[in-house]
Amino acid sequence: MKKIIYFTTAIDKTDYKDYLEYWDVSPNLSNQNFHYKLIKAISITNEVNVISVRPINKNYQLDKLESGIKVEDNIIWNYVEVKNSRLDKLLSLDKRIKEVVNEERKNECVIIVDTMNRYLLKEAIKYAHRYKFKIYGVCTDNPINISFVSNGYKKDLLSMGKKLDGYIALTPKLNELFNINNKPYVLIDGITENFEPETNINIKFPYVFFGGSLLPRYGVDNLIEAFERLNKVNLKLVICGHHEPEGFKEKIKKYSDIIYLGPLTYDDVCAIQKEAECAVNPRPTDVLIDEYSIPSKTLEYLSNEVLTISVDNALLKKHYKDAIIWTKTGSADELYVALVRALSLSDKEKEKYISIGKELVEKYTSLDSVNKLIQELIL
């Protein structure tokens, strides 16, 4: 059993609800979910010492996040104290990270780091070089696609990310982007977890579901337009997500058949998905985005056994062609047609889609299957 030091902004999912409570503008839940599940997958056969640097900025209502340690099976969550002052933040982070890494310096450790965070990447590389640890980068997107950061930040990620010993990448193009020195790597489609969500949410009416980024470029406006054309009296559209644009709440209030729940915990989202008539990934076709990221929400839908509608994605179609109702571009017209088709399926037809999807995500993205790939890389 190897010892892994994992640098991330993710936290244990049971702590996420309290963390979410103090945000004025909700953070991106997909990054949290992905790294949490990857940590769980790795911990099946390894001891994982997580250095968790929780994001905090002007949209967070508290001045600081307290430090703490939490043990979960083979995982130790080291929550570093984070302050809302840049200088204080860097000083407190450096001190705790140094303590955690020094505790492991005599062991044969491997470092794994999120390549989408400049501070974490810099610190992980520094300690990997100091103690001659192997270091592997987790590549979940092209830095050019990151919202709300400078071009200099994006360039730094690419520059530092090319100096690692190996890579865990979501797509072939991501591996090509970072792995210019042909280092060892594994490709994973994504990660899904088979579990029973703990939630108090109980929706008592039939609904279509969407959860994800609410920025217009990810298709939520087209979905709303398509849904309104259905004009079904007893059916609602339930939306949750992050990156809420200005005026979004006011816009939604105009519709009596659309329910906006804001950002939710992973368990709440999964529970809602499981009871939906169908769930939709409306992200319009975009070669730059599609080559460098997989819509994780679509895999989540399949894992939670809900009938799934998605815009074409070559990487998803490779394995899940027969498990999803597809649309070409994600236009409102196409989404309307897909919704009509999904809602008119017989129970038998619907169950066929669901069972194929569940079987395939278990094969390609379960915690066990991802663990085997990671083991091949780091052993």
Side-chain angles (χ1 to χ4, degrees), residues 29 48 57 106 121 129 131 161 171 188 193 195 208 244 248 258 276 301 306 322 346 354 374 378:
L29 185 61
V48 187
N57 59 35
K106 294 180 181 178
L121 198 49
H129 288 172
Y131 297 120
T171 74
I188 58 176
E193 183 181 10
F195 75 110
V208 172
E244 179 188 302
F248 185 79
I258 299 180
Y301 296 162
V306 58
D322 297 325
S346 67
I354 291 171
I374 303 300
I378 66 176

Side-chain angles (χ1 to χ4, degrees), residues 171-193:
T171 74
K173 281 290 185 182
L174 274 175
N175 183 58
E176 289 176 19
L177 181 68
F178 284 94
N179 191 6
I180 60 171
N181 296 312
N182 198 28
K183 298 287 188 175
Y185 69 93
V186 293
L187 298 176
I188 58 176
D189 288 344
I191 312 174
T192 57
E193 183 181 10

Side-chain angles (χ1 to χ4, degrees), residues 245-261:
E246 187 175 348
F248 185 79
K249 287 180 182 176
E250 289 69 27
K251 175 183 176 180
I252 292 300
K253 287 177 182 177
K254 298 175 184 176
Y255 303 103
S256 60
D257 55 354
I258 299 180
I259 310 297
Y260 175 51
L261 300 176

Side-chain angles (χ1 to χ4, degrees), residues 45-81:
T45 51
N46 302 282
E47 294 179 10
V48 187
N49 207 338
V50 180
I51 295 176
S52 172
V53 181
R54 295 154 291 175
I56 184 172
N57 59 35
K58 63 182 180 180
N59 294 313
Y60 196 72
Q61 297 169 11
L62 303 181
D63 291 330
K64 72 174 182 178
L65 292 164
E66 299 290 347
S67 64
I69 296 176
K70 182 174 183 178
V71 179
E72 177 196 9
D73 298 325
N74 286 337
I75 307 170
I76 301 174
W77 294 92
N78 294 278
Y79 294 135
V80 181
E81 180 183 271

